[in-house]
Amino acid sequence: MNQAIRIIHRLTSLLFSLIVASIFAGMAITTLPEWFYYLPLPPLAVLLPTGLYMFFLPYLSGQRDGVPASKGQA
């Protein structure tokens, strides 16, 4: 499940970045229709919950197995 959420977040962020870049490129070329500026909102609605999930996952899962960051391997 975690891997699927990470993939969805990664691909959605790529889509979001491409949409925002196309808006800036389109603004340099011509006047865009008003609805075009709303295109980043659906990917942003996916990025918010998936990003929050990944942010809070370490805090909710408790102690993980492995070496603490302060005792990293050399």
Side-chain angles (χ1 to χ4, degrees):
M1 171 103 173
N2 291 340
Q3 191 66 22
I5 289 178
R6 289 181 186 278
I7 291 172
I8 289 169
H9 186 82
R10 189 174 296 132
L11 293 176
T12 308
S13 66
L14 178 65
L15 177 65
F16 176 79
S17 299
L18 290 174
I19 291 172
V20 171
S22 69
I23 288 174
F24 278 105
M27 287 171 53
I29 296 171
T30 185
T31 303
L32 298 172
E34 192 171 325
W35 61 267
F36 204 77
Y37 298 105
Y38 293 107
L39 286 177
L41 293 180
L44 196 60
V46 175
L47 286 172
L48 182 65
T50 57
L52 286 173
Y53 173 80
M54 289 190 301
F55 178 78
F56 285 111
L57 188 63
Y59 300 108
L60 298 176
S61 65
Q63 184 66 25
R64 289 188 168 183
D65 294 337
V67 179
S70 62
K71 307 232 182 209
Q73 297 175 354

